[in-house]
Amino acid sequence: MDELASADGLGRFLTLADTAEILNISASQAYSLVRSGELPAIKVGRAGHWRIERTVLEAYIEGKYEESRRIGLWNQAEYSSLPEYSFDPDRPRGGQTRTSTT
């Protein structure tokens, strides 16, 4: 059981508040991640409190790092110069040009 507890004293399962603190987000944002299914969790107890397994949260974080890495590689690829394939939200799409309104 000691393997599952970290240096911060938290056990195998984390509350939404613990998860929010680790991710540096609000508890409502953590709840949204769980409700959407993006962050797998279980309900325990009669009241149905959400719990996130520490290893699942760590895998979620690693997955986000991998997603960022892949987007970075995609943006460096030769297709990134084509607006319709870019992940850059500020880049114009479909031949449109952004103009300044100042």
Side-chain angles (χ1 to χ4, degrees):
M1 184 77 167
D2 290 335
E3 297 171 15
L4 298 175
S6 70
D8 59 13
L10 298 174
R12 176 178 178 181
F13 290 97
L14 305 170
T15 64
L16 286 174
D18 295 334
T19 301
E21 186 175 337
I22 290 168
L23 294 175
N24 197 27
I25 60 176
S26 70
S28 63
Q29 288 172 312
Y31 180 70
S32 292
L33 289 173
V34 167
R35 292 289 295 170
S36 71
E38 184 175 344
L39 179 59
I42 59 171
K43 277 190 171 185
V44 295
R46 203 170 267 209
H49 296 287
W50 287 105
R51 294 294 183 262
I52 297 95
E53 192 167 1
R54 178 178 294 281
T55 56
V56 171
L57 179 59
E58 290 170 0
Y60 172 80
I61 293 168
E62 288 301 316
K64 288 298 184 180
Y65 276 117
E66 179 63 16
E67 181 181 317
S68 295
R69 185 188 73 80
R70 288 176 184 233
I71 289 172
L73 290 173
W74 176 260
N75 286 334
Q76 292 174 8
E78 66 179 273
Y79 294 113
S80 69
S81 63
L82 301 173
E84 60 270 17
Y85 293 114
S86 174
F87 287 107
D88 183 359
D90 293 327
R91 179 177 277 170
R93 302 202 183 271
Q96 301 170 352
T97 58
R98 294 197 184 234
T99 58
S100 177
T101 58
T102 55

